[in-house]
Structures are given as C-alpha cells and as structure tokens.
Amino acid sequence: MTAIADRRWDRADSALEPLLPLEQALERMLAGLEALEPERVALSEAHDRATAEALTALVTLPPWDNSAMDGFAVRAHDLANATAARPVTLPVVGEVAAGHPPPRAVDPGTAMRILTGAMLPPGADAVVPVEETDAPRGASLLPKRVRIRTSPEPGAFVRRAGSDLQAGAPLVARGTPLRSADLALLAASGHGTVLVHPRPALAVLSTGDELVQPGEPLSPGQIYDSNGVALAAQARWVGAEVSSVVTVGDQLDPLLDAVGRASREAHLLVVSGGVSVGAHDVVKEAFARIGSVDLWRVAVQPGKPLAFGHAVIDGRRLLLFGLPGNPVSSFVTFELFVRPVIRRLAGHADPLARITRSARLGEPVRKDPARRAFLRVMLEPDREDGLIARLAGAQGSHVLSALAAADGLAVVPEGVSSLEAGAQVEVWELEPRIR
Ligand code: AMP
Ligand code: MG
C-alpha cells in the first residue's frame, strides 16, 4: 500500500475551522463573478478566446455552384455515350477561372475550360476532370476542342451552392473558445471581426526568504523559486496573460510593495507560500490591507490552506489568491481554483470544464478520507481498450519529480480511505506533451 496522507497540515490546522468541500469553495469564488467586458477584434486576434456572442453564417457556402476540379464544364447529356474507346469531341467556347465570372453560357454541344473554385457557367451541369480528356494538364493555351473519354453524371465534380452552410446557420455558441478551424469557418462565412472576451491579466508572486531565482547560485538554506515559473506557465496555458512574475521575502512591507505593484495591471493576483499559520505567513495580512480575504481549509489533498479575497484597485476588481507554497500543492490548487476563475473571467461557457479520462488504478492507494485526493498518475493503455493509472512517484506535496512525470491527476473522493488495484478513477488530464 502506498501511504499518501500529508499529516503535517492535519496537525497544524486541527484547531481551525472545518474543512470546506471543494464545490463550496468554487461556488464562493465564482459567485457573482462576471466575464471581462467583451471587445470586438479582428479574427487574427481572436484565436483561443471565448466568444461573447452567438455567431451565424453571414453568407451561404459555397455562395454559388463551382467546380471541384480543373477540367471542362459540360452538359452531361451531351456526353451520355462517351467512353475511352469512343470519346466525344466538343468545341471549347472559353474559360472560367476562380475569381472571375463566366464569360458566357455553355450551350448544348459545347464545353468551357474551368478551374477549381470557378463559378459553374450557366447551362453546364457537370465538370469533367482534365485527366479524362486529351487536353494538357497545367498551364497551357486554351484548346479549340476537347476529346472527352467519360460520361459524367449531372452534378459530377460540382460543389453545390449551400452544400456547406446556408446563410443564417448557427456556427459557434456564445462562450466558446475559437480554434483555428472555427476561425476559418467564421472568415469563410462572412465575419471579419468577432466579439470576444479579453484574456485576464494575472500577476504571480512567490513569497519566501529561502527563494532564489532559477539558475542563480544557492547559499545554505536556499531553494529555487519553482512556483513562480510554473504558475505563470499554467496561467498562460489556460488563456491568461501574465503581467508580472516576482519573488519576494517573508517580511510584510516588501510584500505589501510587491502586492501593490503587481496589482496595478492585473485582474488576478496569485501568491504562493506564506498562507498557512506559520510565524512568517504574512500573505493573509498583506491581502487584508488592500481588500477583504478569507482563509479556507478546503477538503482537498494536496492543497490546503487557501486564501481567497477581493480588492478594488483604481476602480478595478482584483481577485486575490494565496496558494500553499509546497510546489505540488501550488500547482494543484492552481488547477482546482485559479483555473476556473480565469476561465470564468475569459468568458468560457463552463468554467469548470476540463478533459478527463476514466482509468483503472494500477496499484492500491491509501489516503485521508476527509479530503478529496488528486494523485499524480501516469496513464498507460491496458490490455483491453482502457487506461491504467499508475502513481507517477511519491505523493508528498514537495515531490516535483512525480508531478513532472504525471499525465494527470487521479481523483479519489472524500469518504474513501483506500482503493484496490483495478478500481475505476477519473483522471484530470494535465498539459499534454503532444498537442
Ligand atoms: P509555505 O507555504 O511558505 O510555508 O511553504 C511551504 C513549502 O513550500 C516550504 O518548504 C517552502 O520552502 C516551499 N516553497 C514555498 N514557496 C516556494 C516556491 N516559490 N518555490 C519552491 N518552493 C516553495
Ligand atoms: Mg514560506
């Protein structure tokens, strides 16, 4: 059995208020929280941002019948008996290329050279690909006549008007992040701009006298600030813009300065470390000086305690998060709490949505029954069609190697103190290596 309980908090917090269920903590954070004021932007600025309006097609697609091939626009009836052995020769009465209207109609017994995407000329009802004729492929002079070796069905190689979309058809619901393909659809169907929500601006602040910038020399007692760089990357991954990443010690005054500076351009301030009940845990105090703040013990593992509050800076609302300093706790509590708040501000229809997988545990696990556990697991295919979740390493809240090896977080609910190998678990997918 693998023991994963982190007993330290249980001792430290036993005298504090009772554990808050995750859903209640999220409800309190999201209550009354509106998406940021939408703005109209060019499609080129809209990738991965959530729409603030439902979008419909402004034009029919294709707007007119057009050719799917380079070849000849014909009347199918004229070629009813054409075969390779007995080709039919038709006079070529002109050419129509993409971007140009047809110069004339195709009368009975004639053909018109046509290029892919060009309007089907009046009278024509089919296209014969150039490969089925004696005409040269590629750029060449317009032939006077063409020998056709095939008998097309009416409609052959014709892309019908409206076969993709009718004008007015729904394209994208409100609150949907726009992917590359959505942008193509919007552009093709007449949109040049779109109303989207801004990316929330997030400031990251790491606290601790022990912290040193990554890559600098270490003195005894010092460690690298790994939370700052991770939280900034996590924030960008969910669609925030990171306005600053700063490391500060454990004294209140420099912390207050840093909080003040970081707050100026941000919608969210995420501080890691200094939120428990230790002698140097001054984050709650700093938050209380600029706004209102609650210190919660949420029933999750890893992850408590958690500070959450609000301030109003220059008339703008700033959300305050104090995450635990342990690197795995800071990472996981970001996923649990900060991510949904970013998604709400960014206008996503369901701020809690994320990709989950169902897997069977590859080994037995034990945990604190009072809290929902988020185990760092690796996913592998099992012998059938499913997935096996194996612990990615030791589950202590300081073990970054297991976090970095993990594909996801396996969720083991409250009320459960152990699960056998083979038990079904939900796994929250983390940032994949292939995307
Ligand atoms: P704290 O929440 O400040 O009591 O910190 C808990 C643990 O996390 C301590 O071992 C800290 O050294 C460590 N820690 C705090 N902040 C960071 C950080 N930014 N990067 C890496 N470790 C940290
Ligand atoms: Mg600290």
Side-chain angles (χ1 to χ4, degrees):
M1 297 286 258
T2 312
I4 59 160
D6 176 355
R7 292 277 158 219
R8 193 169 74 90
W9 293 126
D10 296 338
R11 274 202 314 276
D13 297 345
S14 54
L16 298 180
E17 60 191 86
L19 289 171
L20 187 64
L22 174 60
E23 279 71 20
Q24 279 182 29
L26 284 168
E27 229 168 77
R28 289 193 202 177
M29 287 176 167
L30 295 171
L33 191 62
E34 305 256 340
L36 300 177
E37 196 61 40
E39 55 184 354
R40 184 159 289 283
V41 301
L43 291 183
S44 56
E45 299 299 311
H47 188 212
D48 204 28
R49 292 171 67 175
T51 51
E53 56 183 346
L55 294 157
T56 54
L58 301 179
V59 300
T60 291
L61 272 188
W64 13 260
D65 292 354
N66 71 93
S67 179
M69 299 289 276
D70 292 340
F72 290 85
V74 296
R75 292 170 169 259
H77 179 78
D78 290 341
L79 298 167
N81 300 317
T83 61
R86 303 184 58 192
V88 170
T89 301
L90 297 175
V92 178
V93 296
E95 176 184 90
V96 57
H100 303 276
R104 50 170 294 173
V106 170
D107 296 328
T110 70
M112 186 182 291
R113 188 157 78 173
I114 192 165
L115 290 121
T116 304
M119 294 176 83
L120 195 71
D125 61 3
V127 170
V128 176
V130 66
E131 292 84 351
E132 301 292 343
T133 75
D134 68 344
R137 299 183 200 187
S140 58
L141 287 178
L142 189 65
K144 290 219 158 41
R145 58 190 64 78
V146 61
R147 271 155 69 92
I148 297 177
R149 294 189 286 264
T150 182
S151 164
E153 294 291 324
F157 298 107
V158 174
R159 302 191 288 214
R160 287 279 172 223
S163 58
D164 187 349
L165 275 177
Q166 294 293 333
L171 300 180
V172 179
R174 188 179 161 175
T176 308
L178 294 171
R179 301 168 305 156
S180 317
D182 300 317
L183 295 173
L185 183 67
L186 292 178
S189 60
H191 294 273
T193 63
V194 59
L195 198 61
V196 291
H197 294 280
R199 298 180 189 283
L202 181 142
V204 178
L205 196 53
S206 303
T207 70
D209 284 352
E210 72 278 32
L211 300 179
V212 171
Q213 288 306 304
E216 297 296 316
L218 286 180
S219 300
Q222 295 184 321
I223 59 167
Y224 293 116
D225 174 5
S226 58
N227 292 351
V229 69
L231 291 168
Q234 287 175 275
R236 289 192 195 98
W237 175 255
V238 283
E241 242 153 42
V242 176
S243 51
S244 62
V245 186
V246 171
T247 308
V248 68
D250 283 315
Q251 292 69 44
L252 185 59
D253 284 341
L255 179 60
L256 274 172
D257 281 351
V259 165
R261 271 195 302 279
S263 310
R264 280 203 283 271
E265 14 14 329
H267 301 108
L268 307 100
L269 171 62
V270 176
V271 180
S272 72
V275 284
S276 49
V277 291
H280 301 287
D281 294 332
V282 287
V283 168
K284 193 187 173 202
E285 174 65 22
F287 283 176
R289 296 272 186 104
I290 61 163
S292 63
V293 62
D294 286 316
L295 191 60
W296 294 339
R297 298 170 63 241
V298 186
V300 294
Q301 180 181 42
K304 59 185 178 66
L306 181 84
F308 179 69
H310 304 262
V312 177
I313 311 281
D314 302 334
R316 204 162 31 84
R317 186 147 123 130
L318 173 71
L319 297 170
L320 307 169
F321 286 90
L323 309 184
N326 270 305
V328 178
S329 307
S330 122
F331 185 98
V332 171
T333 48
F334 178 97
E335 295 296 317
L336 293 175
F337 304 110
V338 187
R339 174 189 157 107
V341 167
I342 291 174
R343 288 173 55 85
R344 167 61 62 78
L345 293 177
H348 293 273
D350 178 3
L352 298 175
R354 68 179 304 141
I355 296 175
T356 63
R357 313 222 171 263
S358 183
R360 287 184 307 108
L361 279 177
E363 62 209 282
V365 297
R366 259 189 327 123
K367 65 175 266 288
D368 176 357
R371 304 200 260 159
R372 194 174 310 174
F374 293 85
L375 310 178
R376 278 69 72 203
V377 296
M378 297 186 294
L379 293 173
E380 303 164 11
D382 69 7
R383 257 182 255 116
E384 288 101 53
D385 257 355
L387 288 170
I388 300 225
R390 293 187 200 287
L391 295 181
Q395 299 288 313
S397 53
H398 64 292
V399 184
L400 273 176
S401 52
L403 179 65
D407 299 306
L409 299 172
V411 187
V412 187
E414 295 92 321
V416 174
S417 57
S418 65
L419 286 179
E420 296 304 317
Q424 206 75 36
V425 284
E426 179 185 273
V427 178
W428 291 12
E429 194 179 87
L430 294 174
E431 186 183 337
R433 287 198 198 273
I434 299 176
R435 67 153 173 166

Coordinates of all heavy atoms in Angstrom, one line a residue, residues 8-9 206-208 210-211 223-228 250 272-276 281 323-327, ligand 1:
R8 N 1.1 16.7 8.0 CA 1.6 18.0 8.6 C 0.4 19.0 8.8 O 0.2 19.5 9.8 CB 2.6 18.6 7.7 CG 3.4 19.7 8.3 CD 4.6 20.0 7.4 NE 4.1 20.7 6.2 CZ 4.0 22.0 6.1 NH1 4.3 22.8 7.1 NH2 3.7 22.6 5.0
W9 N -0.4 19.1 7.7 CA -1.5 20.1 7.8 C -2.5 19.7 8.8 O -3.1 20.5 9.5 CB -2.1 20.2 6.4 CG -1.3 20.8 5.4 CD1 -1.0 20.3 4.2 CD2 -0.6 22.1 5.5 NE1 -0.2 21.1 3.5 CE2 0.1 22.2 4.3 CE3 -0.4 23.1 6.4 CZ2 0.9 23.3 4.0 CZ3 0.3 24.2 6.2 CH2 1.0 24.3 5.0
S206 N 5.8 35.0 -5.7 CA 6.3 33.9 -4.9 C 6.9 34.5 -3.6 O 7.6 35.5 -3.6 CB 7.4 33.1 -5.5 OG 7.0 32.6 -6.8
T207 N 6.5 34.0 -2.4 CA 7.0 34.5 -1.2 C 7.8 33.5 -0.5 O 7.6 32.3 -0.5 CB 5.8 34.9 -0.2 OG1 5.2 33.7 0.3 CG2 4.8 35.8 -0.9
G208 N 8.9 34.0 0.2 CA 9.7 33.1 1.0 C 11.2 33.6 1.0 O 11.7 33.9 0.0
E210 N 13.6 32.0 1.6 CA 14.5 30.9 1.1 C 14.6 30.9 -0.4 O 15.4 30.2 -1.0 CB 14.0 29.5 1.6 CG 12.7 29.0 0.9 CD 11.4 29.5 1.5 OE1 11.4 30.7 1.9 OE2 10.4 28.8 1.5
L211 N 13.8 31.7 -1.1 CA 13.7 31.6 -2.6 C 14.8 32.3 -3.4 O 15.1 33.5 -3.1 CB 12.3 32.0 -3.0 CG 11.2 31.3 -2.4 CD1 9.8 31.8 -2.9 CD2 11.3 29.8 -2.7
I223 N 16.5 27.7 -1.7 CA 16.0 26.8 -2.8 C 15.6 27.7 -3.9 O 15.4 28.9 -3.7 CB 14.8 25.9 -2.3 CG1 13.6 26.8 -1.9 CG2 15.2 24.9 -1.3 CD1 12.3 26.0 -1.7
Y224 N 15.4 27.1 -5.1 CA 14.9 27.9 -6.2 C 13.4 28.1 -6.2 O 12.7 27.2 -5.7 CB 15.3 27.1 -7.5 CG 16.8 27.1 -7.7 CD1 17.4 25.9 -7.7 CD2 17.5 28.3 -7.9 CE1 18.8 25.8 -7.9 CE2 18.9 28.2 -8.1 CZ 19.5 27.0 -8.1 OH 20.9 27.0 -8.2
D225 N 13.0 29.3 -6.6 CA 11.6 29.6 -6.8 C 11.1 28.8 -8.0 O 11.3 29.3 -9.2 CB 11.4 31.1 -7.0 CG 10.0 31.4 -7.3 OD1 9.1 30.5 -7.3 OD2 9.7 32.6 -7.6
S226 N 10.5 27.7 -7.8 CA 9.9 26.9 -8.9 C 8.4 27.2 -9.1 O 7.9 27.1 -10.2 CB 10.1 25.4 -8.7 OG 9.5 25.0 -7.5
N227 N 7.7 27.7 -8.1 CA 6.3 28.0 -8.2 C 6.0 29.1 -9.2 O 5.1 29.1 -10.0 CB 5.7 28.4 -6.9 CG 5.7 27.3 -5.9 OD1 6.0 26.1 -6.2 ND2 5.3 27.6 -4.6
G228 N 6.9 30.2 -9.1 CA 6.6 31.3 -10.0 C 6.6 31.0 -11.5 O 5.6 31.3 -12.2
D250 N 9.7 37.2 3.2 CA 8.6 37.0 4.1 C 8.2 38.2 5.0 O 7.4 38.0 5.8 CB 9.0 35.8 5.1 CG 8.9 34.4 4.4 OD1 7.8 34.2 3.7 OD2 9.8 33.6 4.5
S272 N 2.1 32.5 -4.0 CA 2.3 31.2 -3.4 C 3.2 31.3 -2.2 O 4.1 32.2 -2.1 CB 2.9 30.2 -4.5 OG 4.3 30.6 -4.7
G273 N 2.9 30.5 -1.2 CA 3.7 30.4 0.0 C 3.1 31.5 1.0 O 2.4 32.4 0.6
G274 N 3.5 31.2 2.3 CA 3.1 32.2 3.3 C 1.7 32.3 3.7 O 1.3 33.3 4.2
V275 N 0.9 31.3 3.3 CA -0.6 31.4 3.7 C -1.0 30.5 4.8 O -2.2 30.4 5.1 CB -1.5 31.1 2.5 CG1 -1.5 32.3 1.5 CG2 -1.2 29.8 1.8
S276 N -0.1 29.7 5.4 CA -0.5 28.8 6.4 C -0.5 29.6 7.8 O -0.6 30.8 7.8 CB 0.3 27.6 6.5 OG 1.7 27.8 6.4
D281 N 4.0 33.7 7.9 CA 3.0 33.6 6.9 C 2.2 34.9 6.9 O 1.1 35.1 7.5 CB 2.1 32.4 7.1 CG 2.9 31.1 6.9 OD1 3.9 31.2 6.2 OD2 2.6 30.1 7.5
L323 N -1.9 30.7 -2.5 CA -1.8 29.3 -2.6 C -0.7 28.8 -1.7 O 0.2 29.5 -1.4 CB -1.5 28.9 -4.1 CG -2.3 29.5 -5.2 CD1 -1.9 28.9 -6.5 CD2 -3.8 29.2 -4.9
P324 N -0.9 27.5 -1.3 CA 0.2 26.9 -0.4 C 1.5 26.9 -1.2 O 1.6 26.8 -2.4 CB -0.3 25.5 -0.1 CG -1.5 25.3 -1.0 CD -2.0 26.6 -1.5
G325 N 2.6 27.0 -0.4 CA 3.9 27.1 -1.0 C 4.5 25.8 -1.5 O 5.3 25.9 -2.5
N326 N 4.1 24.7 -1.0 CA 4.7 23.4 -1.5 C 4.4 23.3 -3.0 O 3.3 23.6 -3.4 CB 4.1 22.3 -0.8 CG 4.9 21.9 0.5 OD1 6.1 21.7 0.4 ND2 4.2 21.9 1.6
P327 N 5.4 23.0 -3.8 CA 5.3 23.1 -5.2 C 4.2 22.3 -5.8 O 3.5 22.8 -6.7 CB 6.6 22.6 -5.7 CG 7.6 22.9 -4.6 CD 6.8 22.8 -3.4
Ligands
AMP1 P1 5.0 27.9 2.9 O1 3.6 27.7 2.3 O2 5.5 29.3 2.6 O3 5.1 27.5 4.3 O4 5.9 27.0 2.1 C1 5.8 25.6 2.2 C2 7.0 24.9 1.5 O5 7.0 25.2 0.1 C3 8.3 25.2 2.0 O6 9.1 24.1 2.0 C4 8.8 26.3 1.1 O7 10.2 26.3 1.0 C5 8.3 25.8 -0.2 N1 8.0 26.8 -1.2 C6 7.4 28.0 -0.9 N2 7.4 28.8 -2.0 C7 8.1 28.1 -3.0 C8 8.4 28.5 -4.3 N3 8.0 29.6 -4.8 N4 9.1 27.6 -5.0 C9 9.5 26.4 -4.4 N5 9.2 26.0 -3.2 C10 8.5 26.9 -2.4

